[in-house]
Amino acid sequence: MDARFPLSNTESPWLPFESRRRARDEKREAVLRAAVQLFLEQGYHRATLNDVAKRLNITKPALYNYFRSKDEILFECWSIGHELVDDCIAETSAGAGSGLGKLRKLTIRYAELMTTDYGKSLVRFDLRDLSEHNRKIVQTAKRRIDRAFRDYIASGIADGSVKPCDPKLAAFAIAGSLNWIGHWFQPSGEMTGHAVAEEFAIRLTEGIATTSTRKKADKPPRKANVGNASREDGSEHHTRAAAGAAGQSKRARGRLR
């Protein structure tokens, strides 16, 4: 090649390193989104990597450029879900407010996450399908979530915003109810994910709130109108959630360990 006429960046047949890495990350995220949707629609065991490849209009061998196995994809979906929950907990803990206020904030965020694909993956799939090593990582993450609910309840008891109760049992009752949202919620339903989350936050905490704090509770949200408006709101919610999840998987394993 004549050194007097070097190729410009636009003429180079090779993408810059950062562009190649970004393109690979975007393709990896596309694989994850397609896979988690199929796992939820068909069940983890019925969905195959061939199905994932077909939905993406690529070959099955191409998938192995991003993931080595189906259970690795499953763990990555779990990792993203837990990463998002960790972010909710960190944001809630860093803010001001009573124990009850923080409990309600986490309840809303967690409930809303349960209406997304990555949130549903936390409660719809069987831990036994993971390797022993990854199963232990997920179990540790689940304990952190449980601890956050208990800590906010205990904090509320201490500051007088929550009635004296067993934080462990109260946390189980609240988290158990929230987890079921991941089983029954449909984006095309009558209420948006955010509306469901706010309703649950009130209903699940008013029984343990002291009288003074219960009076200050926000009014339950009005149900979204049936029809195009509610479906559009739901679609917007899921678009925001998906955008928030994009890019999380790269650092999920490190945060979960």
Side-chain angles (χ1 to χ4, degrees), residues 1-255:
M1 182 182 299
D2 193 332
R4 293 174 299 173
F5 302 101
L7 287 172
S8 68
N9 288 336
T10 56
E11 294 173 319
S12 174
W14 303 105
L15 288 172
F17 174 75
E18 286 298 327
S19 297
R20 293 201 307 272
R21 184 171 64 179
R22 183 166 57 252
R24 177 179 174 81
D25 289 344
E26 290 173 354
K27 291 177 181 178
R28 195 171 188 272
E29 293 296 337
V31 172
L32 284 172
R33 288 194 298 271
V36 73
Q37 289 169 3
L38 279 167
F39 293 169
L40 291 169
E41 292 169 8
Q42 301 180 14
Y44 174 72
H45 291 288
R46 292 184 60 188
T48 66
L49 290 183
N50 280 327
D51 294 329
V52 177
K54 184 177 180 180
R55 178 161 292 192
L56 292 168
N57 197 28
I58 61 176
T59 64
K60 181 179 177 181
L63 289 177
Y64 293 109
N65 290 322
Y66 309 101
F67 297 99
R68 292 169 294 183
S69 61
K70 191 168 77 164
D71 68 300
E72 183 180 354
I73 295 177
L74 180 64
F75 174 67
E76 198 71 14
C77 293
W78 246 311
S79 296
I80 293 175
H82 280 300
E83 174 88 6
L84 295 172
V85 177
D86 282 347
D87 288 345
C88 293
I89 294 172
E91 180 183 332
T92 302
S93 296
S98 65
L100 179 66
K102 290 185 175 182
L103 176 64
R104 282 180 171 161
K105 183 175 181 180
L106 178 59
T107 299
I108 290 174
R109 296 290 300 279
Y110 189 86
E112 194 166 11
L113 181 59
M114 284 297 110
T115 68
T116 69
D117 289 343
Y118 288 123
K120 292 176 182 179
S121 72
L122 298 179
V123 297
R124 294 266 294 271
F125 303 138
D126 195 333
L127 280 176
R128 291 172 294 184
D129 291 321
L130 295 176
S131 67
E132 182 178 359
H133 174 72
N134 288 344
R135 187 163 58 246
K136 289 180 179 178
I137 293 175
V138 173
Q139 288 171 336
T140 298
K142 284 178 175 288
R143 285 193 289 270
R144 284 206 306 273
I145 296 172
D146 175 62
R147 175 52 57 188
F149 278 103
R150 294 194 204 186
D151 286 347
Y152 295 149
I153 293 170
S155 177
I157 295 173
D159 65 29
S161 59
V162 173
K163 296 176 183 178
C165 62
D166 184 330
K168 177 181 178 180
L169 291 179
F172 281 171
I174 293 172
S177 297
L178 296 177
N179 286 340
W180 271 106
I181 295 175
H183 291 272
W184 58 259
F185 179 81
Q186 295 296 329
S188 59
E190 191 172 314
M191 297 180 70
T192 66
H194 185 68
V196 168
E198 289 191 328
E199 184 80 23
F200 266 62
I202 298 299
R203 300 300 169 223
L204 292 176
T205 61
E206 65 179 356
I208 61 173
T210 56
T211 303
S212 58
T213 54
R214 191 185 304 121
K215 290 179 179 179
K216 297 177 183 178
D218 295 332
K219 294 181 180 180
R222 292 178 299 173
K223 289 186 178 181
N225 294 328
V226 181
N228 291 335
S230 63
R231 284 194 291 273
E232 288 172 1
D233 289 344
S235 176
E236 182 181 353
H237 155 68
H238 281 268
T239 299
R240 291 197 309 270
Q248 298 287 345
S249 58
K250 288 197 297 180
R251 66 181 192 276
R253 287 198 190 92
R255 290 274 302 268

